[in-house]
């Protein structure tokens, strides 16, 4: 087996093996360390010696042996225990279920979102600490401390390795979906650093979302999130120029959009909208699908986009949703109507001085012909953003209007 | 999100402090660094030498000229910084408030988000 194939296999097996170990021994923190060591051993041995017949069993055995090594310092006892561990026939536990439990554990509410993200990538995604550190542009020591702190917190919170039930399960699932969404966005909104690693994060988020959907096929928001990721990912080639400049949606070369991903995403949106629930991921995916459906920017069904934003505003009120609805409203009812809706956001302190509010207002002012005010707003928006790509884009917009 | 928390010092203010006060500042920074390392929020920290040791470099007609610093006619100078990676701006402000300098009149602590970063992350 070639090395990338071994890597893929290990990434697939890591959460299953970890799940099996935690189910058997408890102690998430120690099990996680042991599995990382077993995976490391496999990356060295398998490409050289070949993949064992039962790779899952091999990993469980080696990780169990490491775990017991760590747990028992007494030499004789360790020998006896590890000998016993090698004889253990891997139980036929449903590994897919374990992976979901593991994902729920990593998204424990005692952790901050960035710790949930890091732990998920390591325990469920099978990425090494070094890979995660590179993807988030922090030193490895920083990421190692964060992951180790996260594991301690989970232990301190006294979590058991079971799926929460009832409303708690529903609530935790929302956190899981949010973490996957954060991972995807980290990969999708490349601002600086190695683009390649960022693209990996988007792939990883999609892989994990597919995995969750395979286990919860009836949850419409899970389906909606996967659809949203696929539809956004389909546009990745058209989103930036070769030099890394942003290309807005209406100027993108739509022949560069990935039609297969769009078809798959659109199918999923349709399936999710047929269900009883209507959540924010489904609605955002439906909006993305509406954009994807138009062969040219002019053919965009803005009335439908606006209607979807209206529903989204009711389901999950948020000033950013209102802001986006203002864009759709300006397309259907004219720029002044869009500007009037934007004015309702002026009192919202979450939006005060936000570059998105400034840039959308600039865009609509430009449409009404008030070029002086548009120029000023583009400039202020450029000052307010923390993204270099966005800043270049907004400065370029302003430069066209310089009085 | 990455933030640069920079410390703007006034050398005259620092000199006016007692030895105990200076030691307390040093210990405060030590504890702060330890806590940042444990939480996994520290990327890097640097302290700079006294502004009297600064040099200002300019190149005119291809000829470099070096004069005594500092460049700015100011009472406060950049004394050092913390580069952190934390959850959001509120957390960055909370961290900055833990820096001992914030309790002393004449020393300033400023927080700004990082827009671009490059270099050796393993350092």
């Amino acid at each position: 087996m070639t090395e990338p194939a071994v890597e893929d296999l290990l990434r697939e097996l890591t959460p299953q093996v970890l799940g099996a170990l935690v189910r058997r021994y408890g102690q998430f923190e120690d099990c996680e360390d042991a599995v990382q060591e077993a995976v490391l051993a496999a990356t060295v041995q398998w490409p050289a010696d070949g993949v064992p017949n039962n790779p899952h069993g091999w990993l469980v055995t080696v990780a169990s042996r490491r775990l017991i090594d760590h747990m028992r310092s007494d030499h004789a006892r360790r020998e006896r225990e590890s000998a016993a561990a090698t004889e253990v026939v891997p139980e036929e536990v449903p590994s897919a279920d374990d992976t979901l439990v593991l994902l729920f554990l990593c998204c424990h509410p005692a952790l901050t979102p960035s710790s949930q993200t890091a732990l998920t990538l390591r325990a469920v995604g099978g990425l090494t600490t070094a890979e995660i550190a590179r993807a988030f542009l922090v030193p490895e020591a920083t990421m190692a401390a964060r992951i180790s702190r996260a594991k301690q917190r989970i232990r301190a919170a006294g979590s058991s390795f079971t799926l929460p039930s009832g409303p708690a399960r529903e609530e935790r699932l929302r956190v899981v979906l949010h973490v996957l969404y954060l991972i995807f966005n980290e990969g999708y909104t490349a601002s600086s650093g190695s683009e390649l690693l960022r693209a990996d994060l988007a792939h990883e988020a999609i892989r994990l979302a597919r995995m969750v959907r395979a286990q919860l096929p009836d949850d419409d928001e899970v389906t909606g999130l996967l659809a949203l990721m696929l539809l956004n990912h389909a546009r990745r080639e058209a989103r930036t120029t070769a030099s890394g400049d942003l290309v807005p949606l209406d100027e993108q070369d739509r022949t560069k959009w990935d039609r297969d991903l769009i078809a798959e995403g659109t199918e999923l949106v349709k399936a999710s909208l047929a269900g009883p629930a209507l959540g924010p991921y489904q609605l955002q995916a439906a909006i993305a699908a509406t954009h994807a459906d138009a062969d040219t920017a002019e053919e965009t069904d803005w009335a439908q986009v606006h209607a979807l934003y209206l529903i989204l505003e009711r389901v999950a009120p948020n000033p950013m949703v209102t802001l986006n609805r203002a864009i759709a409203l300006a397309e259907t009812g004219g720029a002044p109507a869009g500007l009037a809706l934007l004015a309702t956001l002026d009192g919202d302190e979450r939006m005060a001085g936000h570059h998105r509010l400034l840039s959308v207002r600039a865009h609509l002012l430009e449409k009404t012909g008030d070029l002086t005010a548009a120029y000023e707003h583009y400039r202020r928006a450029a000052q307010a953003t923390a993204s270099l790509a966005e800043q270049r884009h907004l400065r370029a917009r302003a430069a066209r209007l310089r009085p | 999100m990455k933030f640069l928390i920079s410390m703007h010092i006034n050398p005259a203010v620092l000199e006016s402090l007692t030895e105990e006060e200076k030691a307390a500042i040093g210990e405060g920074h030590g504890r702060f660094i330890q806590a940042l390392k444990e939480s996994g929020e520290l990327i890097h920290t640097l302290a700079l030498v006294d502004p009297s040791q600064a040099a200002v470099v300019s190149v005119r007609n291809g000829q470099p000229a070096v004069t005594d610093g500092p460049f700015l006619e100011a009472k406060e100078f950049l004394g050092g910084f913390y580069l952190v990676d934390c959850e959001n701006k509120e957390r960055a402000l909370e961290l900055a408030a833990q820096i001992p300098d914030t309790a002393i009149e004449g020393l300033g602590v400023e927080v700004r988000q990082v827009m671009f970063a490059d270099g050796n992350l393993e350092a």
Side-chain angles (χ1 to χ4, degrees), chain A residues 112 114 136-137 139 142 146, chain B residues 2 37 40 42 85 87 115 121:
Chain A
T112 63
S114 72
F136 287 92
L137 303 172
T142 301
R146 195 174 296 171
Chain B
K2 294 176 183 62
K37 279 185 176 170
L42 181 68
D85 184 64
E87 207 70 48
M115 263 180 84
L121 292 175

Side-chain angles (χ1 to χ4, degrees), chain A residues 22 26-34 67 122 148-149 151-153 155:
Chain A
V22 178
Q27 309 179 39
F28 177 75
E29 194 178 352
D30 297 331
C31 290
E32 215 271 329
D33 289 336
L67 180 67
R122 177 148 143 172
S148 139
R149 171 65 70 97
K151 287 189 280 184
Q152 284 167 22
R153 280 197 170 217
R155 190 178 55 184

